[in-house]
Amino acid sequence: MTGPNWKGETPKGVKKSLSLETEFVFAVYRTQLFNPGDLDNVKKVQAGYKAQTLSAFLGTAAPKAAPVIDFIKPLTPAEEKTSSQFFNILNFVLQFCPTDPSETELMARFARIGVGAGKQWMPASSRRK
C-alpha cells in the first residue's frame, strides 16, 4: 500500500501495489475456512501474513520519521448527536486526505461554510455578518 504522494516503482518481489487516496489506512486480513477440518491450514496461512515498511522489505535504511501528529480529541457518542465540533474534527482529518479531482467543486462549496483542510469551523450564528 502506498500513500497518495508516493512515487516509485513497485519493487521486485511485490506482486501488486495499491495506491491509497489518503494517508490513513485500515487493513483487514481474512482467510476463508472451508470446514472445521481446514482450521490447521487456515492457521498456517495466517502465520504467513506479514506487513512491513518498504525499507524493511528492501533491507534499506528507514526514511526520516514523519512528524508526530497531535490528533484531535474524538467526540463521545452522546456529543456526536449534538456537537458542532464534528466540523472541526472533519477539518482536521481533511489535512491528511488530498481532494480527489472528482470532488474539487464539492470541496469549494464546503469551503464557503468553513469546511476544509486545517480550517477552524464556526457555526453561522457565530460568524460576522
Side-chain angles (χ1 to χ4, degrees):
M1 291 178 256
T2 62
N5 299 316
W6 186 78
K7 306 285 187 255
E9 298 292 322
T10 302
K12 289 182 181 181
V14 175
K15 293 178 184 174
K16 186 174 183 177
S17 173
L18 301 172
S19 181
L20 306 173
E21 293 180 0
T22 73
E23 298 291 334
F24 296 116
V25 64
F26 182 75
V28 177
Y29 300 90
R30 294 181 59 186
T31 307
Q32 184 174 1
L33 175 65
F34 293 103
N35 60 60
D38 195 35
L39 188 56
D40 286 337
N41 189 45
V42 167
K43 289 178 181 179
K44 181 180 175 185
V45 170
Q46 289 176 332
Y49 290 159
K50 186 174 185 179
Q52 64 187 139
T53 62
L54 179 60
S55 58
F57 177 80
L58 297 174
T60 60
K64 180 180 143 190
V68 173
I69 298 171
D70 185 16
F71 281 93
I72 196 165
K73 181 182 176 218
L75 298 173
T76 66
E79 291 170 328
E80 289 175 356
K81 297 175 184 176
T82 59
S83 177
S84 64
Q85 180 65 4
F86 164 82
F87 294 101
N88 282 321
I89 294 171
L90 174 62
N91 288 346
F92 175 83
V93 172
L94 285 172
Q95 297 176 86
F96 308 99
C97 306
T99 300
D100 186 273
S102 69
E103 296 177 342
T104 303
E105 185 178 317
L106 177 65
M107 292 308 294
R109 289 174 49 205
F110 285 156
R112 291 195 298 261
I113 62 167
V115 173
K119 292 182 177 278
Q120 183 67 32
W121 188 84
M122 290 175 39
S125 61
S126 301
R127 295 185 207 143
R128 289 185 186 177
K129 303 220 176 185

